[in-house]
């Protein structure tokens, strides 16, 4: 056998003495909740599946179920509640933590406040959730009737076919994402529960930043910047702030869930981010 120095042999073989990543010791299972739209549905497992599998590799009992992507908060929450009850039954846990992206954060708030799950949720972490709505919803509603109807018909067809037992009501959903609806209806009627931790993150890219933006979002980013300031292409930084604000991610709305639409160019690791969120939950005993 060649007489290699130990260090040289290790470099050749690539072996490490302890190669497995550190376990993240979360106490509660984690349910990851996706937002509006179909982007992640074309990936194996759907929205946030890859991130959930990464967390499982780190020891977190993570789940990323899917609900109808183009339906209202109230309608989606019926399915979310069923999924959470399944997780509680399967794990034997008394409660779960929720990590919710975009509209999923509104779903989570509704589940806690209006569907009696406040005693089954330890924490809610929202990422780029439009807590104060998005002017992009008004942009859609301002389109000519024929264009708006075509967009709604296409979204509703996708929403009913892309997921088992799917349903859709895309136009009503868009109406409920306007700043006016969120400010005057949703937020006053969906108060935070004092026994639940509420944390939030915002995202930024494009205008007024040095963060690369997925080209598909350029028009939306510019439109929203003129009306709400710095944003991630769909949700402004100010709209995303809720509860304890944890910071701004240098990633647009698409890259926050591990997608780059084939364009690359951004230095953001979604798996690492969600692992850091899980570490924060573990640090407070959740």
């Amino acid at each position: 056998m060649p007489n290699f120095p130990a260090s040289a042999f290790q470099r050749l073989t690539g072996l490490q003495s302890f190669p497995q990543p550190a376990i993240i010791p979360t106490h509660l299972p984690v349910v990851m909740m996706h937002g509006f739209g179909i982007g992640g549905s074309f990936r194996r497992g759907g929205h946030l599946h890859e991130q959930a599998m990464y967390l499982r590799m780190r020891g977190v009992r993570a789940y990323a179920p899917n609900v109808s992507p183009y339906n209202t908060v109230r309608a989606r929450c019926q399915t979310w509640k069923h999924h959470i009850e399944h997780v509680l039954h399967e794990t034997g846990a008394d409660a779960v933590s929720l990590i919710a992206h975009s509209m999923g954060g509104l779903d989570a708030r509704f589940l806690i406040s209006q569907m009696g799950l406040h005693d089954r949720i330890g924490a809610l972490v929202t990422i780029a959730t439009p807590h104060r709505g998005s002017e992009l919803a008004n942009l859609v509603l301002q389109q000519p009737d024929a264009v708006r109807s075509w967009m709604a018909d296409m979204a509703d067809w996708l929403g009913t076919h892309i997921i088992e037992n799917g349903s859709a009501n895309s136009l009503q959903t868009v109406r409920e994402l306007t700043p006016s609806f969120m400010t005057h209806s949703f937020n006053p009627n969906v108060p935070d529960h004092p026994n639940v931790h509420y944390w939030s993150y915002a995202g930024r890219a494009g205008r007024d930043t040095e963060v690369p933006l997925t080209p598909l979002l350029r028009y939306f980013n510019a439109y929203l910047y003129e009306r709400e300031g710095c944003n991630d292409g769909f949700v402004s930084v100010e709209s995303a702030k809720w509860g304890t604000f944890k910071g701004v991610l240098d990633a647009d709305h698409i890259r926050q869930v591990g997608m780059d639409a084939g364009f690359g160019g951004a230095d953001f690791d979604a798996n690492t981010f969600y692992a850091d969120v899980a570490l924060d939950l573990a640090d407070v005993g959740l």
Side-chain angles (χ1 to χ4, degrees):
M1 181 176 180
N3 187 24
F4 288 120
S7 59
F9 187 71
Q10 289 165 2
R11 287 196 297 272
L12 285 172
T13 61
L15 289 178
Q16 302 172 16
S17 61
F18 208 110
Q20 289 77 36
I23 290 293
I24 302 175
T26 49
H27 175 65
L28 301 179
V30 169
V31 177
M32 306 177 76
M33 301 173 65
H34 68 79
F36 182 86
I38 61 171
S41 300
F42 293 118
R43 296 185 293 178
R44 180 179 177 273
H47 299 269
L48 294 169
H49 172 76
E50 178 184 328
Q51 286 69 46
M53 294 301 98
Y54 180 77
L55 290 182
R56 285 192 175 199
M57 185 179 71
R58 300 289 302 275
V60 179
R61 293 172 293 172
Y63 296 78
N66 296 299
V67 301
S68 294
Y70 291 111
N71 217 333
T72 62
V73 167
R74 186 178 295 273
R76 284 159 53 108
C77 279
Q78 299 298 326
T79 308
W80 283 127
K81 184 178 182 182
H82 172 76
H83 288 324
I84 290 170
E85 289 171 345
H86 170 83
V87 171
L88 291 169
H89 176 74
E90 182 171 285
T91 62
D94 294 327
V96 301
S97 295
L98 303 179
I99 302 177
H101 182 251
S102 195
M103 182 180 165
L106 304 182
D107 298 341
R109 287 176 53 198
F110 191 89
L111 283 168
I112 295 166
S113 176
Q114 300 298 310
M115 298 192 71
L117 292 189
H118 58 274
D119 59 345
R120 312 308 299 272
I121 308 298
L124 165 60
V125 185
T126 63
I127 298 105
T129 290
H131 293 289
R132 294 164 187 81
S134 174
E135 283 293 340
L136 293 182
N138 283 328
L139 176 64
V140 172
L141 297 176
Q142 290 163 6
Q143 298 306 302
D145 289 346
V147 174
R148 191 171 63 245
S149 295
W150 175 81
M151 293 170 65
D153 289 346
M154 180 177 67
D156 287 349
W157 185 89
L158 285 169
T160 55
H161 288 81
I162 205 166
I163 186 171
E164 184 180 2
N165 299 319
S167 59
N169 190 350
S170 60
L171 199 55
Q172 181 59 30
T173 303
V174 170
R175 292 190 184 101
E176 294 180 7
L177 292 174
T178 62
S180 177
F181 182 86
M182 289 300 304
T183 300
H184 300 297
S185 183
F186 189 90
N187 287 340
N189 290 299
V190 185
D192 291 349
H193 195 279
N195 295 342
V196 178
H197 297 271
Y198 291 81
W199 300 346
S200 65
Y201 291 86
R204 65 172 185 168
R207 290 283 295 273
D208 201 29
T209 79
E210 296 181 359
V211 183
L213 180 75
T214 302
L216 296 172
L217 301 180
R218 282 176 181 164
Y219 175 73
F220 299 142
N221 178 250
Y223 182 91
L224 196 55
Y225 180 83
E226 295 300 326
R227 291 155 180 81
E228 296 186 44
C230 189
N231 66 86
D232 66 1
F234 277 113
V235 179
S236 70
V237 170
E238 291 305 311
S239 185
K241 294 179 179 179
W242 197 261
T244 300
F245 183 58
K246 306 284 281 186
V248 181
L249 307 179
D250 285 338
D252 66 34
H253 208 74
I254 291 174
R255 289 178 168 122
Q256 292 159 14
V257 292
M259 298 176 63
D260 64 13
F263 294 105
D267 185 19
F268 179 77
D269 186 331
N271 287 345
T272 298
F273 166 69
Y274 288 102
D276 286 343
V277 172
L279 279 167
D280 286 346
L281 291 169
D283 284 345
V284 297
L286 298 172

